[in-house]
Amino acid sequence: MAVGSSALAAGSSSPLTGPHRPLGESVIPSHLANDGQLQILLDDVEPTVPRRGDPVVLRGHIVNGSTTSRRVNTLVVDASWTTLRDRRAIDRWVGDPESPGREATWRLGQDTVGPVVAAGAQIPFTVTLEAEVLAGLPADPGVLALELETFDAPPAEVATVADSSASQQVEQDVGSTMLRTVLVVTGTELVDQPLGMSWLVPLTVPADPDLSDPVEKVRNRAWVEATGPGSPARTWLERMDVPGITWMVDPALLVARHPQSALVVSPPEPSQAPDSQPTPEPTTDLTQEPAPPTATTTAAPGVSGTGAPAPTGQDGAEASTGADGSGGANSDDTATSDDSAAVTSGEPGTPSAPSTTGEDSPPPAPDIPTKRSVEDVLVTLRGLLAAHPDDNLWWLPTDDPDLAAMVGLERDSTVSERTRATMAALLERSPQGSVQVERLLRRGRTDIAWPLLPTATPTDLRLLQTLWSAASTTSPTSTASPPSAATPSRTSDQDSAASAMTTRVTSSQDEEGLRAVVLPRESVTGSTDAPTTRAGVPLQNPDDLIALAADSRASALLTGSRQIAADTGAGATVQRMLGDSLAAWLEDPQAERSLLVAAERGTLAPAAVLEELTDGIASAPWVQPRSAGSILAGAATTAPAELTQVGPDPSALRDLTTYLQTPDSPLDPRSAASLTRLEQELEGLVQVLADDDAVRSWQPVLAGMWSTRWRASTDDWSRIWRHIRDDSLASRAALHVNPSTVNFLSDQGLMRVTIVNDLPVAVEDVEVELLSGSSILQIVDQPEPVSIGAGSRATVSFTARAVTRGQTTVTARLTAPNGTTLGDSTAVEVRVQPTGVWIYWVLGSIAGIVLVLGLVRTLRSTPRRVVAAASTPPEAKHQEKHP
């Protein structure tokens, strides 16, 4: 018998590590990869929770994923005579069509759907279960083991079918394609003690590098896809309306970032080839004090700097931004581009309709989101959150830092204190935004941690508490921002508005530190199959924390609902989730218990699943929706428990194991150190750049690299890290000392070096440190900090003392006030010839030579008669007068 695709292959017994679909892996519809088998999808059950004695309608469709037509005559719906009583039995029934011990021999209904399903096509079916079919069921709620099966002929004639008509090119499969699912049925509208059920749904920023792209059209499109119609956040908020549902929101999702383009290094001078070395300055004798250097501090108009690169081959202009992140008066609301895809409002992953235009017809103009349209979808998203009561709003730290990885770093003794301070500062950050964002962030609570710790230890939680406590003491005031936070630019005309938005997210519980931590239920029960008790459990160690124990099986069903629906249909997915909750209630119908369902980060549940689940929860008598806050409050009456250090059991979860897998984090001691170093470099650039808006716009991008969302996207993490690293290096290297050769002919005197700024932005307060390469020359004092205009150069002077003659180098090191190195250390060649005793011999020799030359010149210029008269003795002259 040829069996079609069921839910999913059974899970292995490997640890819960590996790929994690909800954080980024796309779903492949099963009918595209099911080896050509037919696939049955149950799309809808009406009513979602059938009552005993009422008719039930099952709707769905049959998909032919093969390359040939398939004969399908009839679809039948059968059930087992005995109901499923426990959660593991439901998993076995659905996940393993060949499992023995139970047979579906109770015919509930059928539909003639044939005769043929074309290759790659699908046909619908509708099976109505008449009122009397379910009339004999007990009054108590129960879970029917349901089986949908297709036949290529009426069921009674299956054994005798021999039609092999070649004209139809139809394969003959004497047998069936099967889908196993469940159907919840109840004969009562009330139960004595329903199961308290809470939903905790994280709404976080997706791991999409385009959200931080400096090209505006690329970035805007990514933000609309991440927060607009069809996005995970909007789908959850608009389609699931269960009382008490709690949203755990990343504040970074509420405010779009606008990183600016990279700093552009000025081109080389025309006389200098791009790849050639800088031309050394002429040799200079520095025996006299030079004139004071001058430097301009004006930046090139319209140019700003940043610490991140722009993608090659793309360009885009940044529009002005209002205080709330919306486009200003000069926003480009009608920008268009041929290389931008249109943004659709349907569910992500939905194939677009084929074009109806001819091959030669130009494609329609794409609808390119603008900054204003991004703000519009964000306003809608904020409004949807604001409609919920405070008790249903919980806030993650901004950008959802990877708490589990940070705890591991806290354990590592090689991690620097600066990195530890950076991690604490990450929990202190808040995004800038509008007044609407500020008001929203002041609601709800912030004292709940949700680390990806499947096997948490007491040490892990104590370290987590330490991080939480360190965050509250990172800065002296609540409005201070850590170095990596998105702080308002000193050149922005929105300073007053933005400074009001940097206040840390606060709540009434915040002063008490960490209150509770979300963990798998196995952390306090020790087993996946342990009976359901209470979801809020105080811990014995640490004794001041409450564990919010998320049920692994129910959470996996909700997390994997998209893939499960692709395999079995939305109706079958919801029935399995409702059946699981009913089986949990059947474990002890008279006990007061609670069950917490926590979807994994990045979960995109189909709209049809959420809508039908909402209807089902509203009509399920065994379930009482409750907020996660009520579970937290009720923990006070629960006995404390020790951490078991046990995680979800793959052998118990079977096919659901894959949805709870935890990918490895890109954060290790080495990568954390590199992020800390990049943070310091960006701080240094901010300190010296006269126009630092662009670099500040990239600081939140760097802080976001500590996020949990990158666990399933390590390649994208590396890509962003390389971009920021390379641009930081290029920006700092654009400030350098011009190499030269100097003759120092003095015991002590002034030397000078020339500093070049190839950036299109002026720099200020650049510190210059001169280091002598040997003891033959000493640096007496260091120059004052220097300011240089955009694309300019400046000369700095310093005093040096010669010890002896020889040749050495003086290395010039440029730094920002925080110690960040700017440019490579440049060596200036110095020929040292100090003055001493030898200088007097030289000067005396020169004086003697000058005296001799002067006498010779004098003798040569005197007349002979003057010389003869001067040379006659006085006696001779007297004799001539007196003979």
Side-chain angles (χ1 to χ4, degrees):
M1 179 173 66
V3 180
S5 172
S6 158
L8 284 173
S12 65
S13 59
S14 60
L16 296 180
T17 58
H20 188 277
R21 283 194 180 94
L23 287 178
E25 185 176 343
S26 61
V27 175
I28 301 177
S30 295
H31 66 274
L32 299 181
N34 63 355
D35 298 328
Q37 298 295 327
L38 290 177
Q39 181 183 17
I40 303 173
L41 300 177
L42 178 59
D43 299 326
D44 180 47
V45 176
E46 186 180 350
T48 307
V49 179
R51 306 290 178 182
R52 184 183 60 171
D54 291 343
V56 182
V57 179
L58 308 180
R59 297 185 182 89
H61 58 282
I62 304 169
V63 180
N64 181 8
S66 68
T67 57
T68 58
S69 299
R70 302 294 298 274
R71 181 182 294 279
V72 178
N73 184 280
T74 305
L75 180 137
V76 300
V77 178
D78 297 332
S80 172
W81 288 101
T82 57
T83 59
L84 299 168
R85 300 289 300 178
D86 64 84
R87 307 173 76 184
R88 197 161 187 172
I90 295 176
D91 292 342
R92 284 195 301 268
W93 170 258
V94 172
D96 187 3
E98 303 296 334
S99 61
R102 187 181 299 273
E103 293 184 359
T105 57
W106 177 18
R107 179 63 47 82
L108 302 182
Q110 67 182 46
D111 183 24
T112 301
V113 295
V116 172
V117 183
Q122 61 185 28
I123 57 174
F125 68 83
T126 300
V127 177
T128 301
L129 312 184
E130 302 298 336
E132 61 272 12
V133 172
L134 303 179
L137 291 174
D140 293 336
V143 183
L144 288 179
L146 211 64
E147 190 174 83
L148 284 70
E149 197 169 9
T150 62
F151 292 89
D152 60 356
E157 303 175 14
V158 168
T160 61
V161 169
D163 184 11
S164 59
S165 173
S167 62
Q168 291 186 340
Q169 298 181 359
V170 176
E171 294 184 2
Q172 282 296 315
D173 280 341
V174 179
S176 64
T177 296
M178 182 190 303
L179 168 65
R180 277 188 168 182
T181 184
V182 297
L183 181 68
V184 294
V185 181
T186 181
T188 180
E189 296 185 1
L190 295 174
V191 298
D192 294 337
Q193 186 64 60
L195 175 68
M197 199 167 185
S198 300
W199 286 264
L200 185 60
V201 178
L203 303 179
T204 58
V205 179
D208 184 359
D210 288 347
L211 294 171
S212 301
D213 199 294
V215 180
E216 185 177 12
K217 60 185 179 182
V218 175
R219 184 177 64 248
N220 290 345
R221 181 171 58 246
W223 274 102
V224 169
E225 291 175 353
T227 59
S231 65
R234 284 282 293 273
T235 301
W236 278 107
L237 290 167
E238 293 175 340
R239 302 305 179 95
M240 189 166 184
D241 187 19
V242 175
I245 188 170
T246 302
W247 310 104
M248 200 154 189
V249 189
D250 178 1
L253 190 68
L254 305 180
V255 181
R257 291 170 179 156
H258 302 287
Q260 299 180 21
S261 300
L263 277 173
V264 179
V265 178
S266 301
E269 297 179 1
S271 60
Q272 180 178 320
D275 297 330
S276 64
Q277 296 295 326
T279 304
E281 292 186 346
T283 301
T284 308
D285 290 340
L286 299 182
T287 57
Q288 296 182 354
E289 183 176 348
T294 59
T296 177
T297 58
T298 58
V303 180
S304 59
T306 188
T312 304
Q314 294 179 340
D315 58 1
E318 288 292 330
S320 60
T321 307
D324 60 351
S326 61
N330 297 326
S331 295
D332 229 354
D333 292 335
T334 57
T336 57
S337 173
D338 294 337
D339 60 351
S340 296
V343 177
T344 61
S345 59
E347 285 189 32
T350 304
S352 58
S355 174
T356 58
T357 60
E359 294 183 1
D360 298 332
S361 301
D367 180 16
I368 300 178
T370 63
K371 191 177 294 185
R372 180 173 299 173
S373 61
V374 171
E375 183 62 18
D376 288 343
V377 297
L378 288 174
V379 168
T380 301
L381 180 64
R382 299 168 198 154
L384 291 170
L385 285 170
H388 289 270
D390 291 1
D391 193 43
N392 294 5
L393 290 178
W394 293 2
W395 300 103
L396 293 162
T398 302
D399 272 314
D400 187 22
D402 195 335
L403 299 177
M406 291 164 66
V407 164
L409 292 172
E410 285 285 343
R411 286 176 174 270
D412 197 312
S413 59
T414 64
V415 174
S416 68
E417 289 302 318
R418 182 177 177 87
T419 298
R420 297 178 193 274
T422 298
M423 292 190 296
L426 290 169
L427 304 182
E428 190 74 10
R429 297 170 54 243
S430 292
Q432 298 176 37
S434 64
V435 175
Q436 182 189 29
V437 174
E438 180 192 9
R439 291 174 178 171
L440 191 56
L441 293 180
R442 292 188 180 279
R443 298 173 50 197
R445 60 191 307 158
T446 62
D447 55 351
I448 314 296
W450 192 346
L452 294 183
L453 290 172
T455 56
T457 66
T459 302
D460 293 334
L461 299 189
R462 282 193 293 270
L463 289 173
L464 190 58
Q465 287 179 307
T466 300
L467 278 171
W468 225 263
S469 300
S472 61
T473 58
T474 299
S475 54
T477 62
S478 63
T479 57
S481 299
S484 59
T487 55
S489 168
R490 61 173 178 257
T491 61
S492 173
D493 44 336
Q494 304 164 10
D495 284 348
S496 58
S499 62
M501 307 313 155
T502 57
T503 305
R504 183 173 182 263
V505 179
T506 58
S507 69
S508 59
Q509 297 86 0
D510 187 56
E511 297 179 356
E512 302 175 3
L514 188 61
R515 172 67 172 163
V517 58
V518 180
L519 297 172
R521 190 168 73 98
E522 292 81 358
S523 296
V524 293
T525 64
S527 171
T528 299
D529 290 327
T532 304
T533 54
R534 291 192 176 186
V537 182
L539 296 176
Q540 292 183 358
N541 186 16
D543 58 2
D544 52 351
L545 269 184
I546 295 175
L548 289 173
D551 187 90
S552 297
R553 184 177 275 106
S555 299
L557 285 171
L558 185 59
T559 299
S561 58
R562 185 184 180 196
Q563 182 65 64
I564 297 173
D567 290 336
T568 65
T573 302
V574 173
Q575 288 297 315
R576 185 175 180 184
M577 296 168 69
L578 293 174
D580 181 77
S581 67
L582 177 52
W585 176 76
L586 289 172
E587 293 171 355
D588 193 351
Q590 302 302 319
E592 180 181 356
R593 296 166 300 142
S594 57
L595 186 143
L596 176 63
V597 184
E600 294 292 329
R601 292 165 171 85
T603 297
L604 175 57
V609 169
L610 297 181
E611 290 173 348
E612 194 160 346
L613 180 61
T614 298
D615 292 339
I617 294 299
S619 55
W622 60 88
V623 169
Q624 181 181 22
R626 299 174 55 186
S627 70
S630 66
I631 290 181
L632 187 60
T637 61
T638 306
E642 283 280 0
L643 286 172
T644 63
Q645 302 183 37
V646 173
D649 182 8
S651 64
L653 294 172
R654 298 171 62 85
D655 61 316
L656 301 176
T657 302
T658 184
Y659 304 114
L660 298 179
Q661 291 174 339
T662 304
D664 293 333
S665 173
L667 297 175
D668 55 23
R670 182 178 178 183
S671 61
S674 71
L675 292 179
T676 303
R677 185 171 58 253
L678 277 175
E679 176 197 48
Q680 184 177 12
E681 291 173 1
L682 294 187
E683 289 176 21
L685 287 172
V686 167
Q687 289 175 340
V688 300
L689 292 177
D691 182 359
D692 59 7
D693 285 355
V695 174
R696 286 181 180 274
S697 74
W698 277 97
Q699 286 179 315
V701 178
L702 180 63
M705 297 188 68
W706 293 84
S707 177
T708 307
R709 63 178 175 266
W710 301 112
R711 279 183 174 258
S713 303
T714 54
D715 290 343
D716 289 332
W717 187 96
S718 299
R719 167 187 161 190
I720 297 176
W721 176 83
R722 282 193 300 268
H723 283 180
I724 300 178
R725 178 206 60 184
D726 293 346
D727 195 72
S728 172
L729 179 62
S731 300
R732 291 180 292 113
L735 283 169
H736 58 88
V737 175
N738 205 35
S740 60
T741 301
V742 177
N743 289 329
F744 190 75
L745 307 176
S746 176
D747 285 337
Q748 180 170 317
L750 291 179
M751 291 183 63
R752 63 183 178 183
V753 294
T754 300
I755 303 175
V756 181
N757 176 20
D758 286 332
L759 295 172
V761 180
V763 295
E764 302 170 347
D765 300 326
V766 175
E767 298 181 356
V768 185
E769 182 182 11
L770 286 308
L771 302 173
S772 177
S774 68
S775 60
I776 67 175
L777 185 71
Q778 296 177 348
I779 307 299
V780 177
D781 58 10
Q782 297 291 340
E784 295 293 326
V786 64
S787 298
I788 315 173
S792 301
R793 59 181 61 196
T795 301
V796 297
S797 302
F798 59 96
T799 303
R801 179 185 298 118
V803 177
T804 184
R805 66 183 304 172
Q807 187 165 342
T808 185
T809 59
V810 172
T811 302
R813 181 171 177 262
L814 307 180
T815 60
N818 72 339
T820 298
T821 301
L822 304 172
D824 296 330
S825 298
T826 304
V828 177
E829 299 292 334
V830 182
R831 296 169 186 159
V832 184
Q833 292 181 323
T835 58
V837 177
W838 66 271
I839 195 64
Y840 300 106
W841 287 102
V842 171
L843 293 177
S845 300
I846 294 174
I849 294 173
V850 170
L851 178 60
V852 172
L853 292 176
L855 291 174
V856 172
R857 182 178 180 182
T858 302
L859 291 174
R860 287 182 177 180
S861 61
T862 304
R864 290 182 180 272
R865 62 178 179 273
V866 176
V867 174
S871 61
T872 302
E875 296 84 359
K877 292 181 179 180
H878 182 75
Q879 290 177 0
E880 289 179 358
K881 293 181 179 180
H882 304 279

